[in-house]
Amino acid sequence: EVIALAVDTLRVAEVTGFQVNLGHIETLRGLITDLGIDDKACLVIEDCLARKDFVALELFLAEAGLSPEQVETILSIPSFHGGEEVLDRVARLAKSERTLKALANLRDVYRALELFGVSTEVAIDLGVLRGFDYYTGVVFEGYAPGLGFPLCEGGRYDGLLGNFGLDCPATGFAVNLERLLSILTVPTYQVAQVLVAGSDMRKVINRASRLRAQGLRAETALEPMDEKQAGEYANTKGIAKVEMV
């Protein structure tokens, strides 16, 4: 449901062509562990994949003393991207209950998203890791064409709140507003058409509200003004008309 909310958020923001990619922390960790790779090397591999630094990943694997099969499997992880068929490909490589359980969880989430009607904007991507140790399950990132950074990101972090005295499962996401605004067409600022001023603020506010109800851009003087003061203020703001009440 949280992932569906993230999709709806990008829809409402009218982001075109976006896609939300789903991964699972335990799927990738389990897959790497199934290959017999030690924890230290696993952390380096995870870090490279999280940063999508495939050059650094290839350099590390070339010097790690791994078998050709291990290297080939790890380098294929970024290609695990698409629909539910991706999970079938990974399942054939899985050797442990840990990996299979994580794949089953990811499959359940993906199918639930179909019920929410957002699967057309969602893809499975096992290269999504988020780069934070507190994530414990499904993780996701939302991307838009031409933007090399995620617009939104989140996932499940069942152990995090326990560090702050409330031991319970949790999930959520955040939208990067700065990145979102960088790709949206934001309306340009329009100067008010009329400045409403006077000595009685109740009358000023009421008159401005009525003008706005008529479709006019009306600005209220935020303190009592006489006609001269209002005229000077309107000139500084480029407002063509002053209405005194």
Side-chain angles (χ1 to χ4, degrees), residues 5 20 41 50 80-81 84 94 98 104-105 129-131 135 148 153-154 158 188 212 235:
L5 179 60
V20 174
F80 294 141
H81 183 281
E84 193 173 348
R98 174 189 185 184
N105 178 221
L129 286 176
R130 295 294 309 112
Y135 283 106
E153 45 210 338
D158 288 344
T188 57
R212 289 168 184 161
N235 286 334

PDB file of all heavy atoms in Angstrom, residues 5 20 41 50 80-81 84 94 98 104-105 129-131 135 148 153-154 158 188 212 235:
ATOM      1  N   LEU A   5       1.010   4.172  -2.793  1.00  0.00           N
ATOM      2  CA  LEU A   5       0.898   5.589  -2.448  1.00  0.00           C
ATOM      3  C   LEU A   5       2.010   6.408  -3.109  1.00  0.00           C
ATOM      4  O   LEU A   5       1.778   7.521  -3.583  1.00  0.00           O
ATOM      5  CB  LEU A   5       0.953   5.753  -0.929  1.00  0.00           C
ATOM      6  CG  LEU A   5       0.882   7.186  -0.392  1.00  0.00           C
ATOM      7  CD1 LEU A   5      -0.424   7.858  -0.811  1.00  0.00           C
ATOM      8  CD2 LEU A   5       1.009   7.184   1.126  1.00  0.00           C
ATOM      9  N   VAL A  20       8.745   3.026 -10.788  1.00  0.00           N
ATOM     10  CA  VAL A  20       9.166   2.677  -9.427  1.00  0.00           C
ATOM     11  C   VAL A  20       9.761   1.272  -9.465  1.00  0.00           C
ATOM     12  O   VAL A  20       9.100   0.324  -9.883  1.00  0.00           O
ATOM     13  CB  VAL A  20       7.980   2.739  -8.442  1.00  0.00           C
ATOM     14  CG1 VAL A  20       8.402   2.224  -7.062  1.00  0.00           C
ATOM     15  CG2 VAL A  20       7.463   4.168  -8.340  1.00  0.00           C
ATOM     16  N   ALA A  41      33.516  -9.380   1.673  1.00  0.00           N
ATOM     17  CA  ALA A  41      33.360  -9.162   0.233  1.00  0.00           C
ATOM     18  C   ALA A  41      31.916  -8.825  -0.113  1.00  0.00           C
ATOM     19  O   ALA A  41      31.646  -8.003  -1.000  1.00  0.00           O
ATOM     20  CB  ALA A  41      33.807 -10.401  -0.537  1.00  0.00           C
ATOM     21  N   ALA A  50      24.636  -0.702  -4.688  1.00  0.00           N
ATOM     22  CA  ALA A  50      23.777   0.368  -4.176  1.00  0.00           C
ATOM     23  C   ALA A  50      24.106   1.691  -4.855  1.00  0.00           C
ATOM     24  O   ALA A  50      23.217   2.497  -5.140  1.00  0.00           O
ATOM     25  CB  ALA A  50      23.925   0.493  -2.657  1.00  0.00           C
ATOM     26  N   PHE A  80      18.768  -8.194 -13.676  1.00  0.00           N
ATOM     27  CA  PHE A  80      17.527  -8.734 -13.122  1.00  0.00           C
ATOM     28  C   PHE A  80      16.517  -7.589 -12.964  1.00  0.00           C
ATOM     29  O   PHE A  80      16.269  -7.086 -11.873  1.00  0.00           O
ATOM     30  CB  PHE A  80      17.781  -9.418 -11.774  1.00  0.00           C
ATOM     31  CG  PHE A  80      18.626 -10.651 -11.872  1.00  0.00           C
ATOM     32  CD1 PHE A  80      19.570 -10.945 -10.912  1.00  0.00           C
ATOM     33  CD2 PHE A  80      18.470 -11.528 -12.937  1.00  0.00           C
ATOM     34  CE1 PHE A  80      20.359 -12.092 -11.001  1.00  0.00           C
ATOM     35  CE2 PHE A  80      19.249 -12.676 -13.038  1.00  0.00           C
ATOM     36  CZ  PHE A  80      20.197 -12.954 -12.069  1.00  0.00           C
ATOM     37  N   HIS A  81      15.948  -7.193 -14.072  1.00  0.00           N
ATOM     38  CA  HIS A  81      15.053  -6.040 -14.094  1.00  0.00           C
ATOM     39  C   HIS A  81      13.904  -6.331 -15.044  1.00  0.00           C
ATOM     40  O   HIS A  81      14.108  -6.751 -16.181  1.00  0.00           O
ATOM     41  CB  HIS A  81      15.812  -4.791 -14.560  1.00  0.00           C
ATOM     42  CG  HIS A  81      14.990  -3.537 -14.549  1.00  0.00           C
ATOM     43  ND1 HIS A  81      14.084  -3.241 -15.549  1.00  0.00           N
ATOM     44  CD2 HIS A  81      14.916  -2.522 -13.662  1.00  0.00           C
ATOM     45  CE1 HIS A  81      13.500  -2.089 -15.280  1.00  0.00           C
ATOM     46  NE2 HIS A  81      13.991  -1.627 -14.137  1.00  0.00           N
ATOM     47  N   GLU A  84       7.458 -10.037 -13.321  1.00  0.00           N
ATOM     48  CA  GLU A  84       7.515 -11.186 -12.413  1.00  0.00           C
ATOM     49  C   GLU A  84       8.445 -12.280 -12.916  1.00  0.00           C
ATOM     50  O   GLU A  84       8.962 -13.084 -12.139  1.00  0.00           O
ATOM     51  CB  GLU A  84       6.107 -11.738 -12.198  1.00  0.00           C
ATOM     52  CG  GLU A  84       6.007 -12.728 -11.053  1.00  0.00           C
ATOM     53  CD  GLU A  84       4.570 -13.124 -10.751  1.00  0.00           C
ATOM     54  OE1 GLU A  84       3.643 -12.460 -11.264  1.00  0.00           O
ATOM     55  OE2 GLU A  84       4.385 -14.100 -10.002  1.00  0.00           O
ATOM     56  N   ALA A  94      18.820 -19.525  -6.763  1.00  0.00           N
ATOM     57  CA  ALA A  94      18.753 -19.565  -5.303  1.00  0.00           C
ATOM     58  C   ALA A  94      19.074 -20.964  -4.771  1.00  0.00           C
ATOM     59  O   ALA A  94      18.659 -21.961  -5.340  1.00  0.00           O
ATOM     60  CB  ALA A  94      17.376 -19.134  -4.841  1.00  0.00           C
ATOM     61  N   ARG A  98      16.573 -18.832   2.787  1.00  0.00           N
ATOM     62  CA  ARG A  98      16.593 -17.377   2.996  1.00  0.00           C
ATOM     63  C   ARG A  98      16.279 -16.639   1.697  1.00  0.00           C
ATOM     64  O   ARG A  98      15.432 -15.733   1.671  1.00  0.00           O
ATOM     65  CB  ARG A  98      17.958 -16.962   3.517  1.00  0.00           C
ATOM     66  CG  ARG A  98      18.158 -15.460   3.647  1.00  0.00           C
ATOM     67  CD  ARG A  98      19.606 -15.152   3.967  1.00  0.00           C
ATOM     68  NE  ARG A  98      19.838 -13.735   4.227  1.00  0.00           N
ATOM     69  CZ  ARG A  98      21.039 -13.214   4.461  1.00  0.00           C
ATOM     70  NH1 ARG A  98      22.116 -13.979   4.485  1.00  0.00           N
ATOM     71  NH2 ARG A  98      21.161 -11.914   4.687  1.00  0.00           N
ATOM     72  N   ALA A 104       9.742 -14.954  -2.448  1.00  0.00           N
ATOM     73  CA  ALA A 104       8.299 -15.140  -2.283  1.00  0.00           C
ATOM     74  C   ALA A 104       7.645 -13.864  -1.757  1.00  0.00           C
ATOM     75  O   ALA A 104       6.553 -13.477  -2.192  1.00  0.00           O
ATOM     76  CB  ALA A 104       8.026 -16.304  -1.330  1.00  0.00           C
ATOM     77  N   ASN A 105       8.310 -13.182  -0.831  1.00  0.00           N
ATOM     78  CA  ASN A 105       7.794 -11.925  -0.294  1.00  0.00           C
ATOM     79  C   ASN A 105       7.712 -10.862  -1.385  1.00  0.00           C
ATOM     80  O   ASN A 105       6.704 -10.147  -1.502  1.00  0.00           O
ATOM     81  CB  ASN A 105       8.684 -11.463   0.856  1.00  0.00           C
ATOM     82  CG  ASN A 105       8.248 -10.132   1.447  1.00  0.00           C
ATOM     83  OD1 ASN A 105       9.073  -9.282   1.772  1.00  0.00           O
ATOM     84  ND2 ASN A 105       6.955  -9.928   1.606  1.00  0.00           N
ATOM     85  N   LEU A 129      19.105  -1.255  -3.639  1.00  0.00           N
ATOM     86  CA  LEU A 129      19.539  -1.618  -2.281  1.00  0.00           C
ATOM     87  C   LEU A 129      19.337  -0.496  -1.280  1.00  0.00           C
ATOM     88  O   LEU A 129      19.312  -0.723  -0.090  1.00  0.00           O
ATOM     89  CB  LEU A 129      21.024  -2.018  -2.291  1.00  0.00           C
ATOM     90  CG  LEU A 129      21.335  -3.380  -2.890  1.00  0.00           C
ATOM     91  CD1 LEU A 129      22.835  -3.600  -2.919  1.00  0.00           C
ATOM     92  CD2 LEU A 129      20.683  -4.468  -2.083  1.00  0.00           C
ATOM     93  N   ARG A 130      19.249   0.734  -1.731  1.00  0.00           N
ATOM     94  CA  ARG A 130      19.057   1.919  -0.912  1.00  0.00           C
ATOM     95  C   ARG A 130      20.296   2.348  -0.139  1.00  0.00           C
ATOM     96  O   ARG A 130      20.413   3.456   0.295  1.00  0.00           O
ATOM     97  CB  ARG A 130      17.882   1.747   0.062  1.00  0.00           C
ATOM     98  CG  ARG A 130      16.529   1.598  -0.598  1.00  0.00           C
ATOM     99  CD  ARG A 130      16.092   2.841  -1.316  1.00  0.00           C
ATOM    100  NE  ARG A 130      16.182   4.013  -0.461  1.00  0.00           N
ATOM    101  CZ  ARG A 130      17.050   4.998  -0.641  1.00  0.00           C
ATOM    102  NH1 ARG A 130      17.905   4.975  -1.648  1.00  0.00           N
ATOM    103  NH2 ARG A 130      17.079   6.013   0.157  1.00  0.00           N
ATOM    104  N   GLY A 131      21.267   1.473   0.134  1.00  0.00           N
ATOM    105  CA  GLY A 131      22.513   1.890   0.743  1.00  0.00           C
ATOM    106  C   GLY A 131      22.446   2.187   2.232  1.00  0.00           C
ATOM    107  O   GLY A 131      23.366   2.783   2.786  1.00  0.00           O
ATOM    108  N   TYR A 135      17.416  -1.023   6.434  1.00  0.00           N
ATOM    109  CA  TYR A 135      16.354  -1.647   5.651  1.00  0.00           C
ATOM    110  C   TYR A 135      16.382  -3.157   5.834  1.00  0.00           C
ATOM    111  O   TYR A 135      17.455  -3.772   5.880  1.00  0.00           O
ATOM    112  CB  TYR A 135      16.484  -1.289   4.173  1.00  0.00           C
ATOM    113  CG  TYR A 135      16.017   0.111   3.862  1.00  0.00           C
ATOM    114  CD1 TYR A 135      16.921   1.130   3.585  1.00  0.00           C
ATOM    115  CD2 TYR A 135      14.655   0.423   3.852  1.00  0.00           C
ATOM    116  CE1 TYR A 135      16.488   2.418   3.313  1.00  0.00           C
ATOM    117  CE2 TYR A 135      14.217   1.705   3.579  1.00  0.00           C
ATOM    118  CZ  TYR A 135      15.138   2.697   3.313  1.00  0.00           C
ATOM    119  OH  TYR A 135      14.706   3.967   3.053  1.00  0.00           O
ATOM    120  N   GLY A 148      19.074  11.198 -13.282  1.00  0.00           N
ATOM    121  CA  GLY A 148      19.913  10.100 -12.811  1.00  0.00           C
ATOM    122  C   GLY A 148      19.820   9.803 -11.332  1.00  0.00           C
ATOM    123  O   GLY A 148      20.593   8.991 -10.819  1.00  0.00           O
ATOM    124  N   GLU A 153      12.048   7.404  -2.619  1.00  0.00           N
ATOM    125  CA  GLU A 153      12.769   6.208  -2.177  1.00  0.00           C
ATOM    126  C   GLU A 153      12.249   5.783  -0.811  1.00  0.00           C
ATOM    127  O   GLU A 153      11.865   6.613   0.008  1.00  0.00           O
ATOM    128  CB  GLU A 153      14.269   6.497  -2.122  1.00  0.00           C
ATOM    129  CG  GLU A 153      14.625   7.815  -1.487  1.00  0.00           C
ATOM    130  CD  GLU A 153      15.898   8.418  -2.058  1.00  0.00           C
ATOM    131  OE1 GLU A 153      16.709   7.680  -2.625  1.00  0.00           O
ATOM    132  OE2 GLU A 153      16.081   9.638  -1.915  1.00  0.00           O
ATOM    133  N   GLY A 154      12.229   4.479  -0.603  1.00  0.00           N
ATOM    134  CA  GLY A 154      11.737   3.990   0.680  1.00  0.00           C
ATOM    135  C   GLY A 154      11.848   2.485   0.774  1.00  0.00           C
ATOM    136  O   GLY A 154      12.512   1.835  -0.024  1.00  0.00           O
ATOM    137  N   ASP A 158      12.009  -2.867   9.667  1.00  0.00           N
ATOM    138  CA  ASP A 158      11.332  -3.417  10.840  1.00  0.00           C
ATOM    139  C   ASP A 158      12.121  -3.281  12.135  1.00  0.00           C
ATOM    140  O   ASP A 158      11.539  -3.386  13.215  1.00  0.00           O
ATOM    141  CB  ASP A 158      11.003  -4.890  10.599  1.00  0.00           C
ATOM    142  CG  ASP A 158       9.872  -5.048   9.586  1.00  0.00           C
ATOM    143  OD1 ASP A 158       9.166  -4.059   9.327  1.00  0.00           O
ATOM    144  OD2 ASP A 158       9.707  -6.156   9.058  1.00  0.00           O
ATOM    145  N   THR A 188       4.772  30.358 -13.514  1.00  0.00           N
ATOM    146  CA  THR A 188       5.533  31.564 -13.174  1.00  0.00           C
ATOM    147  C   THR A 188       4.702  32.462 -12.255  1.00  0.00           C
ATOM    148  O   THR A 188       3.479  32.441 -12.283  1.00  0.00           O
ATOM    149  CB  THR A 188       5.910  32.342 -14.443  1.00  0.00           C
ATOM    150  OG1 THR A 188       4.716  32.660 -15.156  1.00  0.00           O
ATOM    151  CG2 THR A 188       6.835  31.518 -15.321  1.00  0.00           C
ATOM    152  N   ARG A 212     -11.264  37.767  -5.026  1.00  0.00           N
ATOM    153  CA  ARG A 212     -10.676  36.467  -5.403  1.00  0.00           C
ATOM    154  C   ARG A 212     -11.756  35.498  -5.843  1.00  0.00           C
ATOM    155  O   ARG A 212     -11.537  34.679  -6.747  1.00  0.00           O
ATOM    156  CB  ARG A 212      -9.893  35.908  -4.216  1.00  0.00           C
ATOM    157  CG  ARG A 212      -8.608  36.675  -3.926  1.00  0.00           C
ATOM    158  CD  ARG A 212      -8.020  36.297  -2.592  1.00  0.00           C
ATOM    159  NE  ARG A 212      -6.838  37.120  -2.285  1.00  0.00           N
ATOM    160  CZ  ARG A 212      -6.343  37.280  -1.065  1.00  0.00           C
ATOM    161  NH1 ARG A 212      -6.924  36.685  -0.028  1.00  0.00           N
ATOM    162  NH2 ARG A 212      -5.280  38.043  -0.879  1.00  0.00           N
ATOM    163  N   ASN A 235       3.151  50.433  -6.256  1.00  0.00           N
ATOM    164  CA  ASN A 235       4.185  50.703  -7.256  1.00  0.00           C
ATOM    165  C   ASN A 235       5.396  49.792  -7.078  1.00  0.00           C
ATOM    166  O   ASN A 235       5.984  49.325  -8.060  1.00  0.00           O
ATOM    167  CB  ASN A 235       4.617  52.173  -7.187  1.00  0.00           C
ATOM    168  CG  ASN A 235       3.579  53.110  -7.763  1.00  0.00           C
ATOM    169  OD1 ASN A 235       2.789  52.714  -8.610  1.00  0.00           O
ATOM    170  ND2 ASN A 235       3.576  54.365  -7.303  1.00  0.00           N
TER     171      ASN A 235
END
